[in-house]
Amino acid sequence: MVRERVMERKKELVSLGTALVAIGIVYGDIGTSPLYTMNAILGHQGVFGNLTKDYVFGAISLVFWTITLVTTIKYVLIALQADNRGEGGIFALYAIVRNRAKWLIIPAVIGGAALLADGTLTPAMTVTSAIEGLKGQKIGSFVFSNSQNVVVLAVAVILLALFMLQRYGTNAIGKLFGPIMLIWFAFLGLMGVMNMAHYPDIWQALLPQYGVKLLFSPENKVGIFILGSVFLATTGSEALYSDMGHVGKRNIYFTWPFVFITLILNYMGQGAWTLAHMKADSFQNLTGINPFFAMMPETWRIFGIIIATLAAIIASQALITGSFTLVTEAIGLKILPRIRMRYPNFLKSQVYIRFVNWLMCAASLGIVFLFQTSAHMESAYGLAITVTMLMTTLLLYEFITMKRNRIVALTVAFFFGALEMLFLIASLFKFVDGGYVTVLITLAIVGVMVLWYFGNKARDKYVDETEYVSLRDFRKQLVKLSNDTTIPEYATNLVYIANIKQNYTVKRSVLYSILDKQPKRACVYWFVSIHETATPFERRYTVDMMGTRNIVCVHLYLGFKVSQTVSVYLREIVNQLIAEEAIDIQIQKYSTLKGRKIGNFSYVVMKQKLADLRSLQSSSFLDRTLIAGRLFLQEKMAAPAIWYGLEFSEVLEEPEPLFINRKVSRNLHKDYIKNTVPAEKNLDSTKNEPKSIE
């Protein structure tokens, strides 16, 4: 706990070093938006010659005010206040407000699923946009091909390499993120200023009337749906909020003005270049001109493409690791089933989830091969993230109500909700052109979350409370069994991972496993309950010996970002109990370790098996479906032994029926068969008399 508090204080310190780290980690997604945003907006007009001054001014105005309102005001100034012990993101926000209303799980599930779906498209989109800048470029005597197939192949190789490297963690490469992204943002600003010099009046485009005018102008061929492309400029805002835990809010406050200014300068530079060249004869009938690359001087272009590619890779890396963090938080909140995780560099912030990694890899590569070009990917991009932003606004309403009052909360929620609803409607225009991909991915993730979360809730409704017994009633039996040398010792320390409720109540199946099956004798019986808390890095425990030296009830309280490696925690606890002389020294007669004081550990995990759901006559079809789906996911995901970090421990998984409150028929009758065989002498005549079955 002390270490985590020190780390939290360090994150809140602002220095050039921490600011550099923030620039490298937080702004990858929004920082690469100039690669494709203006290209998407201008592309609605068809050929370059169709552009006008009012259209370009309106486009820049809409981009500027979108970044100002959504990113700066909503996320930087408001959302960053909603931190859960320094952690941000939609699940951290939900952890803060979840006790206010049960329905808040709905926006959390939808928003989290949409954010994960968006994460599969971002790597494909950003890397493709950067590599497309190489088309036709001369590097020494080598000329890069104009073929889009070559671009697709190059993007696929880069993405595959990126996902393959995830298993090694990002500790070493992460140190390079800050300097590279600092160069990137400086380059964005410089290119913008250089081109603005050719059209100084571009500053007027920041006035809001140009943006409003464009929305209703007949020159705008797509009308309000142009907002679907404008929204691309601010898609990284949710990632910015989610990454707050890595750098602290103060570092974001300190660095955002620099990032904001360089982004706006670059957008204005793209607008200035467009206005200066749109009527040139050589550009009149051209389509697909990306002003980001076109505005670079010839001698700067190779450097620009290289730094853009590096920025795109860093943005992709940030989205991938962000997805790992998001999944970890969802598991901690019991919104997703347990999935095996690794910590490559022994840092909690650098979790690696192989299943998620390769699922994202497959999705990203599939998007690259399906859409081929960044222009086509733009059609799918942004739809899912608008849903996430809307869900965040709903949760922020509850948070602001807690901190301020309902009137302020309603004002904020109504303003940003209306704005984001407008963006959502505009983005729905993209559904047919490719937005359906992220929608389908979102729905698939939502389906898993619903089955797991609500399946747990449905299951809990049918638990028979009479099948819970008190450890107090079996304390004497456990102590006696522990000292009964006539029974072979099963383990020195026998650990049951079970939920111990108030008054020491535990499932009868746990004690049945110890006493009624083959009795399991142990020196010490451990009953361990694990509680996932809303505090990200919390680690604490309580111990109750129940007045014995043989029974230990342990309650572990672990934050939702902490791994549940039970064996590590128990080793620490048993050492402390021996030091306090609460339990006896566990001398091992045979051991490779000299002076060993701790005996062996055996773990028992009760694993639920599906009983006959039809026996629940009072249950609804929905409940039965949710419960069956939940158990199906349980079978497919990480086994309890893997989740609790017991891969190399002695673990017994004992099955227990999910439902044990079925009413068993007590109307069993015996049918009598006429005896055709002569009775032998001295045969007990009462032997064949019917006996009642109680």
Side-chain angles (χ1 to χ4, degrees):
M1 286 295 292
V2 173
R3 182 186 173 200
E4 276 73 31
R5 288 171 184 167
V6 171
M7 293 299 293
E8 287 176 9
R9 284 197 294 269
K10 284 184 176 180
K11 285 192 301 186
E12 289 304 319
L13 295 176
V14 178
S15 66
L16 292 178
T18 57
L20 194 63
V21 172
I23 290 174
I25 293 177
V26 175
Y27 304 112
D29 193 1
I30 197 168
T32 51
S33 59
L35 284 170
Y36 44 77
T37 300
M38 284 297 291
N39 185 45
I41 298 172
L42 301 181
H44 289 302
Q45 292 299 96
V47 297
F48 214 59
N50 291 339
L51 295 172
T52 64
K53 175 184 173 181
D54 286 344
Y55 187 91
V56 175
F57 270 37
I60 295 173
S61 178
L62 288 173
V63 168
F64 170 75
W65 286 104
T66 296
I67 297 176
T68 300
L69 294 174
V70 177
T71 310
T72 305
I73 297 179
K74 177 187 172 181
Y75 282 95
V76 176
L77 297 182
I78 299 177
L80 290 189
Q81 299 299 316
D83 67 293
N84 185 13
R85 294 291 184 90
E87 294 297 319
I90 192 164
F91 286 140
L93 177 57
Y94 167 70
I96 299 172
V97 302
R98 60 177 170 173
N99 292 328
R100 292 183 61 82
K102 292 182 179 180
W103 65 269
L104 293 173
I105 184 61
I106 297 174
V109 164
I110 296 174
L115 189 57
L116 285 171
D118 186 75
T120 64
L121 187 57
T122 299
M125 176 74 176
T126 54
V127 176
T128 302
S129 298
I131 297 300
E132 283 178 341
L134 284 171
K135 293 172 72 173
Q137 294 298 314
K138 187 176 181 180
I139 307 174
S141 59
F142 173 77
V143 179
F144 197 87
S145 174
N146 276 311
S147 171
Q148 189 64 28
N149 290 332
V150 176
V151 172
V152 169
L153 182 61
V155 171
V157 170
I158 291 173
L159 289 179
L160 187 60
L162 182 62
F163 282 103
M164 289 178 67
L165 290 173
Q166 296 305 310
R167 61 179 297 190
Y168 301 107
T170 58
N171 192 39
I173 194 173
K175 296 177 181 178
L176 299 174
F177 285 5
I180 291 174
M181 292 305 292
L182 179 63
I183 295 171
W184 167 250
F185 285 113
F187 179 77
L188 290 180
L190 179 61
M191 288 297 101
V193 171
M194 289 174 59
N195 283 274
M196 287 166 61
H198 300 296
Y199 205 104
D201 291 344
I202 195 67
W203 287 100
Q204 298 176 26
L206 300 184
L207 297 174
Q209 58 261 35
Y210 287 104
V212 176
K213 181 180 178 182
L214 179 61
L215 290 177
F216 303 99
S217 172
E219 293 180 10
N220 176 13
K221 296 180 179 180
V222 294
I224 196 174
F225 293 107
I226 195 175
L227 292 176
S229 297
V230 172
F231 185 74
L232 297 176
T234 192
T235 52
S237 302
E238 194 71 38
L240 179 152
Y241 177 38
S242 298
D243 287 332
M244 174 174 59
H246 296 288
V247 298
K249 66 175 72 174
R250 293 183 184 177
N251 283 295
I252 296 178
Y253 292 149
F254 181 71
T255 55
W256 172 245
F258 166 73
V259 172
F260 175 76
I261 290 170
T262 57
L263 287 174
I264 299 305
L265 287 175
N266 191 266
Y267 283 120
M268 288 196 294
Q270 292 187 50
W273 181 90
T274 301
L275 290 168
H277 293 81
M278 64 186 183
K279 298 305 178 185
D281 293 338
S282 57
F283 290 95
Q284 280 286 300
N285 298 314
L286 295 181
T287 60
I289 299 175
N290 190 337
F292 177 81
F293 294 108
M295 73 174 178
M296 296 180 192
E298 194 69 31
T299 54
W300 290 63
R301 193 161 296 167
I302 295 300
F303 173 78
I305 294 170
I306 292 173
I307 193 68
T309 303
L310 291 174
I313 292 172
I314 290 172
S316 301
Q317 175 66 52
L319 261 294
I320 295 168
T321 54
S323 297
F324 293 160
T325 302
L326 199 67
V327 169
T328 305
E329 293 175 354
I331 291 170
L333 293 168
K334 298 183 179 180
I335 296 174
L336 278 177
R338 294 165 176 164
I339 306 172
R340 186 174 186 178
M341 294 179 284
R342 289 179 58 244
Y343 297 89
N345 297 306
F346 304 102
L347 297 174
K348 297 299 181 183
S349 60
Q350 292 189 13
V351 63
Y352 169 69
I353 307 176
R354 183 175 63 178
F355 176 77
V356 175
N357 182 68
W358 292 113
L359 198 62
M360 289 184 66
C361 180
S364 296
L365 291 176
I367 288 168
V368 170
F369 289 114
L370 175 64
F371 291 105
Q372 300 282 311
T373 69
S374 62
H376 291 155
M377 293 178 196
E378 288 161 7
S379 300
Y381 198 41
L383 177 56
I385 205 67
T386 57
V387 176
T388 302
M389 288 186 173
L390 267 172
M391 300 302 104
T392 299
T393 298
L394 287 175
L395 296 176
L396 277 176
Y397 165 76
E398 290 293 338
F399 174 79
I400 297 172
T401 302
M402 290 170 54
K403 300 297 181 181
R404 302 284 183 176
N405 57 64
R406 195 167 295 276
I407 295 176
V408 174
L410 278 172
T411 303
V412 172
F414 179 79
F415 177 79
F416 288 106
L419 182 62
E420 288 158 359
M421 184 61 72
L422 199 61
F423 280 122
L424 178 60
I425 294 171
S427 296
L428 289 174
F429 178 69
K430 301 178 177 183
F431 182 83
V432 177
D433 294 330
Y436 63 88
V437 173
T438 49
V439 170
L440 291 176
I441 296 174
T442 299
L443 290 176
I445 299 172
V446 167
V448 173
M449 290 180 172
V450 166
L451 284 178
W452 188 256
Y453 182 84
F454 291 101
N456 281 327
K457 296 294 183 183
R459 177 197 61 178
D460 293 344
K461 289 194 298 185
Y462 299 102
V463 173
D464 187 357
E465 293 299 329
T466 63
E467 288 302 319
Y468 281 87
V469 295
S470 175
L471 280 175
R472 288 180 180 273
D473 299 334
F474 296 88
R475 181 173 49 176
K476 291 183 179 180
Q477 284 196 57
L478 291 174
V479 172
K480 186 176 181 180
L481 175 59
S482 179
N483 297 317
D484 189 351
T485 57
T486 63
I487 298 177
E489 185 177 270
Y490 185 86
T492 306
N493 297 280
L494 184 57
V495 183
Y496 279 81
I497 300 176
N499 184 22
I500 309 299
K501 298 185 177 182
Q502 292 181 348
N503 299 321
Y504 303 99
T505 54
V506 65
K507 282 186 177 181
R508 185 185 298 273
S509 57
V510 172
L511 288 165
Y512 184 87
S513 169
I514 299 173
L515 302 173
D516 292 88
K517 290 189 174 181
Q518 185 176 353
K520 298 180 178 67
R521 185 170 75 87
C523 291
V524 181
Y525 294 99
W526 298 77
F527 300 94
V528 180
S529 299
I530 300 175
H531 308 275
E532 293 159 334
T533 68
T535 305
F537 293 104
E538 184 174 6
R539 291 186 188 88
R540 60 186 177 89
Y541 70 92
T542 62
V543 170
D544 188 344
M545 302 289 296
M546 298 184 68
T548 74
R549 300 180 67 84
N550 309 86
I551 304 172
V552 186
C553 292
V554 177
H555 288 268
L556 281 171
Y557 298 89
L558 305 175
F560 65 84
K561 295 196 74 174
V562 175
S563 66
Q564 297 185 356
T565 311
V566 175
S567 58
V568 175
Y569 303 128
L570 285 188
R571 292 283 176 181
E572 183 177 343
I573 294 171
V574 72
N575 273 310
Q576 184 174 341
L577 292 178
I578 289 176
E580 295 172 352
E581 299 183 351
I583 60 176
D584 299 326
I585 295 176
Q586 301 171 352
I587 298 175
Q588 289 275 96
K589 185 175 182 180
Y590 303 102
S591 175
T592 59
L593 302 175
K594 188 177 180 180
R596 178 172 175 172
K597 298 180 179 179
I598 302 176
N600 68 307
F601 281 78
S602 289
Y603 297 85
V604 180
V605 179
M606 309 305 294
K607 189 172 183 180
Q608 291 179 332
K609 294 292 184 180
L610 184 62
D612 186 4
L613 291 174
R614 291 173 297 180
S615 62
L616 293 174
Q617 297 178 359
S618 61
S619 67
S620 66
F621 172 78
L622 177 60
D623 282 347
R624 293 195 297 271
T625 302
L626 290 172
I627 294 167
R630 186 261 181 213
L631 287 179
F632 172 80
L633 291 174
Q634 176 182 281
E635 289 292 327
K636 300 301 179 184
M637 295 302 174
I642 295 175
W643 175 257
Y644 293 122
L646 305 175
E647 300 98 315
F648 304 107
S649 303
E650 184 179 340
V651 181
L652 172 65
E653 289 189 0
E654 287 198 359
E656 62 170 332
L658 175 57
F659 298 117
I660 48 183
N661 62 337
R662 301 187 301 272
K663 292 184 178 180
V664 180
S665 173
R666 306 185 68 86
N667 298 317
L668 186 61
H669 299 279
K670 180 176 181 180
D671 289 334
Y672 296 96
I673 301 175
K674 185 176 181 181
N675 190 357
T676 58
V677 180
E680 297 182 9
K681 291 182 179 181
N682 300 323
L683 186 65
D684 187 356
S685 60
T686 63
K687 190 173 182 178
N688 290 328
E689 289 182 2
K691 297 178 181 179
S692 62
I693 299 177
E694 296 297 334

